[in-house]
Amino acid sequence: MKKLNFGLVAILCSGFVLMTSCHSKKEMVQTIPVAPVSQSDDSDADNQVVEVDETVMATPITMEVTETVNDQMKKQQEELINGWEIVDVQTTPNDTLISVELVPDANNLQSIKLGLNDEVLFNIGSATLSPKAKTLLAKLADNLNNFPETNASVIGYTSNTGSGQLNMDLAMSRAQNVMDFLVAKGVSPTRLKAISKGWNDPVASNATAAGRAKNRRVEIWVSPNEQMIKNAQ
């Protein structure tokens, strides 16, 4: 059965924070600059922790600025969804492999949270992008190039299978390969950041195969940059 599932969720809270779950295993966080990364294919090491850059804006954020920026982010979200709707994604009933959400930050400025299940992007234990992944990411690159006043953080996650370091390395390789692909498609590397969260911040229980499959994912957070806020004045 083929379908494309998009979760469009408007969160009413005043801010969002990427929080690291507390587990019995020690949490690790890793970030790297744009550069080729060797792929780790030793095991299904799918667990990395990611932190999204929070640029301190010198420009006062008024209600008018907030409304203008949020309208622009909503437009970017809509155009991304329209671009992805033409991409056919193999999935199973009731299992969302792709999600697109608008999430407000502490200043009530909307960010776009993209969730890509590893089933779409990679094979288990591999950081090599699948043909389907390249099709989806090419659409994302076009979107980012059409909206140059946004930045993106690419965050790699894994399940808890394998050692912590292997998971961190694999998640970073996956995030880096996604970022490298976007750069190859014309997105400026200064707008991008790769982050590894390994097995931290699971979205499902690692006690089951289905839960581990959901935890193996890449999240991409697209946020307004300082230039967009200044232009909105």
Side-chain angles (χ1 to χ4, degrees):
M1 176 177 182
K2 295 188 177 182
K3 65 180 180 180
L4 187 62
N5 295 319
F6 288 101
L8 302 177
V9 179
I11 298 179
L12 300 179
C13 61
S14 62
F16 74 90
V17 180
L18 292 179
M19 303 182 62
T20 302
S21 301
C22 296
H23 300 285
S24 59
K25 300 181 181 179
K26 185 176 180 181
E27 175 182 299
M28 294 177 288
V29 178
Q30 187 179 67
T31 62
I32 58 175
V34 178
V37 176
S38 60
Q39 297 175 3
S40 172
D41 55 7
D42 296 354
S43 71
D44 177 20
D46 279 345
N47 289 298
Q48 309 251 355
V49 178
V50 177
E51 293 180 346
V52 176
D53 272 341
E54 295 182 359
T55 303
V56 177
M57 302 300 181
T59 305
I61 300 177
T62 64
M63 181 65 70
E64 291 76 16
V65 169
T66 299
E67 291 177 352
T68 300
V69 170
N70 288 353
D71 286 345
Q72 289 177 284
M73 295 305 296
K74 188 175 189 316
K75 180 180 179 182
Q76 183 172 358
Q77 179 209 29
E78 291 173 347
E79 291 196 13
L80 177 59
I81 291 173
N82 290 336
W84 274 0
E85 280 181 343
I86 66 174
V87 181
D88 192 20
V89 177
Q90 181 71 41
T91 183
T92 56
N94 303 317
D95 185 20
T96 300
L97 298 184
I98 299 175
S99 64
V100 184
E101 307 172 58
L102 278 178
V103 183
D105 66 11
N107 294 312
N108 205 32
L109 297 179
Q110 300 284 5
S111 293
I112 303 171
K113 177 185 175 183
L114 309 177
L116 297 169
N117 190 281
D118 277 358
E119 185 177 337
V120 176
L121 299 178
F122 311 99
N123 291 322
I124 293 178
S126 171
T128 302
L129 291 169
S130 69
K132 185 72 68 177
K134 293 178 180 180
T135 301
L136 288 166
L137 293 176
K139 295 293 183 182
L140 174 59
D142 289 342
N143 181 269
L144 291 172
N145 288 329
N146 289 336
F147 293 87
E149 294 177 356
T150 53
N151 296 331
S153 293
V154 183
I155 305 170
Y157 296 87
T158 63
S159 67
N160 66 348
T161 304
S163 71
Q165 190 58 56
L166 281 175
N167 279 310
M168 289 300 292
D169 292 344
L170 179 58
M172 179 54 74
S173 292
R174 289 176 168 181
Q176 183 68 52
N177 286 349
V178 169
M179 189 168 69
D180 288 345
F181 183 87
L182 295 175
V183 171
K185 291 297 182 179
V187 181
S188 171
T190 62
R191 300 173 58 196
L192 303 172
K193 182 177 182 179
I195 303 169
S196 171
K197 285 207 171 187
W199 59 46
N200 297 284
D201 296 345
V203 294
S205 172
N206 279 308
T208 66
R212 291 191 294 273
K214 291 182 179 180
N215 291 332
R216 301 181 190 111
R217 68 196 191 279
V218 170
E219 292 180 358
I220 302 173
W221 293 73
V222 182
S223 304
N225 63 21
E226 189 169 1
Q227 189 60 50
M228 178 185 286
I229 294 176
K230 288 181 178 180
N231 290 345
Q233 284 187 302

